[in-house]
Amino acid sequence: VPAMRPPSSFAFVRGLVCAAVLAAAPAAVHAQTFPNLTYATVSGSPLRLDLYLPAGATTPTPVVLWVHGGGWCAGARAPLAAYASPLTSAGVAVAAVQYRLTSTTPDCANAGGATWPAQVHDLKGAVRWLRANAATYQLDPTHIGVWGQSAGAHLALSLALSPGDPELEGTVGGNATQSSAVRAVVAYFPPTDLLQLGPDFALAPTTRPDLVSVVDGPGQPHARLIAYGGPGEGLGVIRANAQNPSPPWPELLARAQSASPLTRVDPTDVPVYLLHGAADVTVPVAQSRRLRDALVTAGIDHVYREVAGLGHIPPTDPALDQAARYWLVARLAAPPPDLVHADSFEAALP
């Protein structure tokens, strides 16, 4: 998929009528919100989610797990992302989920929190909880998707691309008889290959070789995620020792690879929607390009949107969020709408 023109070139899309989900900047219509639902308790601390239900639903509704960003060390499930909130107007419930962070302070000042794979264990526990409690909240347990941005997109991909993986499944929240699999994933500007995150800053269009050693070094959020971000540590050190058979390098290399969604791509994966700004200097667009190439090789149903001029933020043109919502709803609705129609709309975007 070629690089996109600036978001302003999408103004024509606003005139298209492609169901309620595509209404320009639609106001979310929630029938009911259930805040602070405890889906698990870990070491005596509750993990919670906020559930937003669509208005007027007469049958069980699909549900999307929304995963916030924040470098794995900060961020919160509320307020719900502006791009995810309108899903309820399209008849899809949204569960905004809390997960354990790598820092115990909101300013990411320490690394005393939870490390990989605790975060994805939490998300999988939340999906199992949604299935176990589907009847209580009139959810469709067979149609669950996930959407995240930045670190949340990394976790959303890790969840979606690892069904049944015992390493990432965990036991958070119990409900062991329930599946944690999802049907589709939308990922906005995700890190996908941690070991290459530093070198990717030197690649065009990011072209910031001055940042490579910084990102490769200690104290970085992605290094803290895998518990190797202290003084003298960092992803660059692991990469430099990738062929070293002596401890601790094989274990650290395996941990970095485990935390990289790129390593989990295979031909059985669910559909993936990727969006990344070409001007992103927080997570280089090369990270999404790598995942796109792997999805192409594996033959996975996917959409790749690269937005010229966009930094590390959601799209500024509502049409882009609308396209992502339409794509996701088309793959979660039960019974599904005409996927050809949905894909034709996506294809109409230059």
Side-chain angles (χ1 to χ4, degrees), residues 72 154 191-201 212 215-217 222-223 225-226 228 234-243 249-263 284 287 290:
W72 307 282
H154 162 271
T192 67
D193 187 352
L194 298 193
L195 287 172
Q196 292 301 316
L197 189 58
D200 280 352
F201 274 88
V212 174
V215 176
D216 268 349
H222 50 285
L225 176 67
I226 64 168
Y228 196 70
L235 271 293
V237 182
I238 299 176
R239 192 175 62 253
N241 286 276
Q243 304 302 318
W249 306 116
E251 178 184 350
L252 288 171
L253 178 64
R255 196 184 307 164
Q257 292 174 333
S258 170
S260 297
L262 180 69
T263 67
Q287 289 278 299
R290 290 178 185 278

Side-chain angles (χ1 to χ4, degrees), residues 249-279:
W249 306 116
E251 178 184 350
L252 288 171
L253 178 64
R255 196 184 307 164
Q257 292 174 333
S258 170
S260 297
L262 180 69
T263 67
R264 300 186 178 278
V265 175
D266 70 55
T268 67
D269 285 332
V270 299
V272 177
Y273 194 110
L274 283 173
L275 183 145
H276 211 124

Side-chain angles (χ1 to χ4, degrees), residues 24-25 55 68 75 105 180 196 241 309 322 335 343:
H68 70 81
T105 59
S180 64
Q196 292 301 316
N241 286 276
Q322 291 162 7
D343 291 341

